[in-house]
Amino acid sequence: MISLDTILIVTSGGLVLGAIYALMASGLAVVWTTLGIFNFAHGAFIAAGAYIGWQIAHADASGLGLVAGTLGTLLAMFVFGVLFHIALVRPFERRANIVAASVITTLAGATVIENVINLIWGPRSKQIGRMLDGDFSLGPIALSMNDLALVVIVVATLGLVGWFLGATRTGRSMRAVAQNREAAELMGLDVPRLYAAAFGLSAAMAGLAGIFIGSIRFMTPTMGADPLMKALIVVIFGGVARFTSPIYAALIIGMVEAFSTYFVGLYWTPAVLFALMMVVLVLKPAGLFGKHQRTL
Amino acid sequence: MSTPLLELRGLSGGYQPIQIFQNVDLTVEQGASIGFFGPNGHGKTTLMKTISGVLEPWRGDVIFEGQRLNRAKARGSRRWRNFNYDVVTPRRMDPKTVARAGLIHVPQGNLLFPEMTVEETLSIAPLVAAERHQSSAHESALHEKVGALFPRLQERRNHKNRFLSGGERQMVSIAAGLLADPKLLILDEPTLGLSPKLRLELCEAIKTIRAAGVPLIVIDQDIGFLTELIDVLYLFDHGSISRRLERAEIPSHDQLMAMLFGEAV
Ligand SMILES: Nc1ncnc2c1ncn2[C@@H]1O[C@H](COP(=O)(O)OP(=O)(O)OP(=O)(O)O)[C@@H](O)[C@H]1O
Ligand SMILES: [Mg+2]
């Protein structure tokens, strides 16, 4: 028999996974909805964020602690995302083949980032370590403090980004550019700058996800490949009709993955996820919560 | 003589590689409004998009309040046909510069931002003018004026744009244009495809805008409406201005059609 305890443990595992996926997928969706391109370097951004965070925070490196590590990573990754956009995406901005061209340039960018990480930090795996020690329990729910902190920070971050996009003029301008570039240009909005800001925001979110992954798993230069695939599944599975769509989808995917890993096995889990995605896409091509392909 | 508000000198453009209009010369004097009238598909919208910088001018200059809005240098001869000239030469014109100078273009038949609410849309419209006057008092005065002009939008403020009727969408577009505090406002077929009642409502609003002293460039298919608004009418066909008529010289609709299509009509 499956005990309630088992269910709760698996559920909390799914919650943590879902939170990390939500952070990655909504970061990916910010670029996807705003620029209309898919950033294949998002996984490499995650790795870069993890290593920068490790460099600042870890006792073996600068040893400045996790708070400084996180803030430093957010800032560094924002700047990095902006530069990445200027170098590898902006040149195609007004060309019809931007989608195809940016597949190649972002893939190329990802490879370069991974190799540079390898060059600087070496191939040996590292770990940032837990943000918090101890366990948290409330009734039958038991989570490690680290997992709890992770979920809380993700919720707060997504809330902040959602507020930024919905309530500030810059965030609204970003959505405006995403929905109708020409009208935004006629309004005098600085389109290239808003695109760059979207990339920067997305990269900073990836960096934060990297730190979280580094806190619970081992880091390698290619650590972003699997999360990128998951984020892609989440974005396509949930659609991007709203900022919240990938978040719900991420929770569902996280839960499915946790339960499937426990009950079906690790080996079969990717197949389960892809099967689920196929069914959803056949029935709802714009995603589970989707109405349109590209909005925010 | 004072510097004209807007001057086009030998402006040509289109969609590469197809040229749509050529050698357009035009002057809008300070405080004056002009109208455009011409058959469908002959390039009026393309010309306006070029003036506002969303399309690159091929040749010629756009001069606003004595300042050239485009770069002087023509772009490369495009000898390498598929070469990405965006990387090596800057665009000749930047829509942001045009809008910040105060030349605001309300595009034709436009659904601005489908997933944004009316209120959100109008909240970002004044950003472009924020650099010119840094007082928020000015901005709220503008908001008040626009609110009075389109009371209907107040009721609809929390609706998404895509749920609005055609007339309401047009109102949002014009309201957004006004909130940008234009020195010259381009209205491209503002009353196209509206029901007679809404059309009337919108025409009244546009007349109020004109009466408030905002210079306009209006493209419309209704000569009567144009005549009430403007000082000079340009007949536009086959990608160039074929006639310039002072307000007093504007004939009836039928005579105009004869002018455009020959006596046979
Ligand atoms: N994006 C585009 N790419 C290529 N050609 C275009 C594009 N948009 C319009 N055209 C062509 O340019 C020509 C002029 O179109 P334009 O919209 O400027 O005409 P118009 O005078 O504004 O017509 P209307 O009165 O119907 O608005 C048309 O022949 C049209 O087919
Ligand atoms: Mg037109």
Side-chain angles (χ1 to χ4, degrees):
Chain A
M1 258 326 276
I2 306 154
S3 70
L4 183 67
D5 271 3
T6 314
I7 301 273
L8 280 171
I9 289 171
V10 176
T11 306
S12 55
L15 184 68
V16 172
L17 272 181
I20 294 179
Y21 292 167
L23 190 57
M24 294 181 321
S26 44
L28 195 60
V30 164
V31 164
W32 167 242
T33 51
T34 311
L35 287 90
I37 65 156
F38 188 81
N39 177 19
F40 281 96
H42 201 71
F45 284 7
I46 288 171
Y51 277 88
I52 293 171
W54 181 88
Q55 182 66 40
I56 302 174
H58 203 269
D60 292 350
S62 309
L64 296 175
L66 206 55
V67 175
T70 307
L71 295 179
T73 301
L74 289 178
L75 188 69
M77 286 310 294
F78 182 88
V79 173
F80 183 72
V82 168
L83 296 177
F84 188 90
H85 168 251
I86 292 173
L88 296 180
V89 181
R90 185 170 291 179
F92 314 110
E93 225 151 63
R94 290 187 169 272
R95 297 185 72 79
N97 63 345
I98 176 165
V99 176
S102 62
V103 169
I104 303 300
T105 52
T106 57
L107 269 177
T111 312
V112 171
I113 293 169
E114 284 167 4
N115 279 297
V116 169
I117 291 175
N118 207 352
L119 206 66
I120 300 177
W121 286 286
R124 280 187 57 192
S125 59
K126 298 184 164 31
Q127 197 165 24
I128 290 180
R130 298 179 154 258
M131 298 178 275
L132 291 170
D133 289 322
D135 289 313
F136 168 86
S137 60
L138 189 106
I141 303 164
L143 276 169
S144 72
M145 280 308 254
N146 192 68
D147 288 350
L148 182 71
L150 192 156
V151 172
V152 169
I153 295 173
V154 168
V155 170
T157 306
L158 293 179
L160 197 68
V161 175
W163 169 83
F164 167 75
L165 291 172
T168 68
R169 278 182 163 184
T170 311
R172 286 174 175 182
S173 304
M174 232 182 238
R175 286 164 59 213
V177 172
Q179 291 172 28
N180 188 343
R181 177 188 173 136
E182 193 170 289
E185 282 183 331
L186 289 176
M187 271 192 173
L189 299 181
D190 195 335
V191 175
R193 199 152 148 189
L194 289 165
Y195 279 171
F199 240 96
L201 175 65
S202 168
M205 290 166 82
L208 189 61
I211 289 184
F212 287 153
I213 295 173
S215 80
I216 54 176
R217 291 184 195 161
F218 283 104
M219 298 156 43
T220 65
T222 53
M223 65 185 274
D226 179 61
L228 173 69
M229 184 55 74
K230 294 288 162 47
L232 177 60
I233 293 177
V234 167
V235 167
I236 295 174
F237 173 79
V240 286
R242 288 165 208 281
F243 179 66
T244 46
S245 307
I247 300 175
Y248 298 138
L251 267 183
I252 296 172
I253 296 286
M255 289 296 169
V256 169
E257 185 174 336
F259 278 89
S260 161
T261 307
Y262 191 86
F263 293 106
V264 186
L266 189 63
Y267 185 71
W268 278 99
T269 298
V272 170
L273 285 177
F274 276 111
L276 180 71
M277 189 167 94
M278 278 191 285
V279 173
V280 167
L281 281 185
V282 167
L283 297 177
K284 294 205 69 180
L288 200 56
F289 311 103
K291 284 175 293 218
H292 307 279
Q293 280 301 336
R294 242 192 90 190
T295 45
L296 201 69
Chain B
M1 250 190 76
S2 64
T3 25
L5 188 55
L6 175 72
E7 235 185 307
L8 307 182
R9 290 193 194 145
L11 198 65
S12 304
Y15 305 92
Q16 290 285 1
I18 302 159
Q19 183 160 2
I20 301 290
F21 64 91
Q22 54 281 326
N23 285 321
V24 174
D25 289 297
L26 167 96
T27 308
V28 183
E29 297 299 339
Q30 289 285 352
S33 287
I34 66 164
F36 270 87
F37 184 84
N40 294 115
H42 280 217
K44 302 180 296 294
T45 298
T46 310
L47 173 63
M48 295 308 139
K49 282 187 180 176
T50 308
I51 296 174
S52 51
V54 289
L55 293 176
E56 285 261 291
W58 292 12
R59 274 181 304 283
D61 295 311
V62 179
I63 296 151
F64 189 64
E65 293 190 308
Q67 286 197 308
R68 196 173 49 220
L69 292 178
N70 57 298
R71 281 169 201 280
K73 218 173 137 235
R75 270 185 133 185
S77 57
R78 295 188 178 270
R79 239 179 319 141
W80 298 351
R81 275 232 262 127
N82 226 340
F83 187 73
N84 188 359
Y85 282 90
D86 290 350
V87 199
V88 285
T89 44
R91 284 168 57 78
R92 276 199 80 199
M93 234 171 133
D94 180 4
K96 186 185 73 212
T97 317
V98 179
R100 297 209 167 154
L103 175 48
I104 302 294
H105 177 174
V106 176
Q108 175 175 2
N110 202 287
L111 170 54
L112 286 180
F113 311 117
E115 299 293 330
M116 280 167 74
T117 66
V118 172
E119 196 257 331
E120 286 175 331
T121 307
L122 298 185
S123 75
I124 57 171
L127 279 175
V128 58
E131 272 175 23
R132 264 191 279 139
H133 40 70
Q134 275 134 356
S135 81
S136 59
H138 191 97
E139 198 185 307
S140 47
L142 262 176
H143 263 290
E144 222 159 90
K145 266 192 230 163
V146 172
L149 199 59
F150 300 115
R152 202 186 268 263
L153 294 185
Q154 188 60 31
E155 297 161 28
R156 292 272 190 274
R157 56 202 301 268
N158 292 321
H159 291 236
K160 282 189 178 178
N161 290 323
R162 71 187 167 98
F163 295 127
L164 301 180
S165 75
E168 288 165 345
R169 288 175 184 181
Q170 196 62 52
M171 286 177 193
V172 174
S173 296
I174 296 176
L178 284 175
L179 287 170
D181 200 14
K183 292 179 181 167
L184 176 61
L185 188 66
I186 299 177
L187 300 176
D188 191 349
E189 311 227 15
T191 66
L192 193 73
L194 300 187
S195 71
K197 183 175 163 289
L198 255 177
R199 197 175 169 280
L200 220 61
E201 197 178 323
L202 211 57
C203 288
E204 283 314 310
I206 294 169
K207 283 180 209 162
T208 313
I209 294 168
R210 177 67 195 115
V214 180
L216 304 173
I217 295 180
V218 191
I219 302 176
D220 207 86
Q221 306 286 356
D222 181 343
I223 280 298
F225 170 57
L226 279 180
T227 313
E228 284 183 69
L229 280 176
I230 55 153
D231 307 291
V232 182
L233 181 70
Y234 289 93
L235 301 190
F236 193 85
D237 60 299
H238 296 96
S240 56
I241 292 171
S242 59
R243 268 191 92 161
R244 178 183 189 278
L245 300 167
E246 295 289 334
R247 185 196 200 134
E249 306 170 326
I250 301 175
S252 73
H253 184 84
D254 291 345
Q255 282 171 299
L256 261 179
M257 292 316 251
M259 267 184 196
L260 280 169
F261 298 108
E263 307 301 325
V265 180

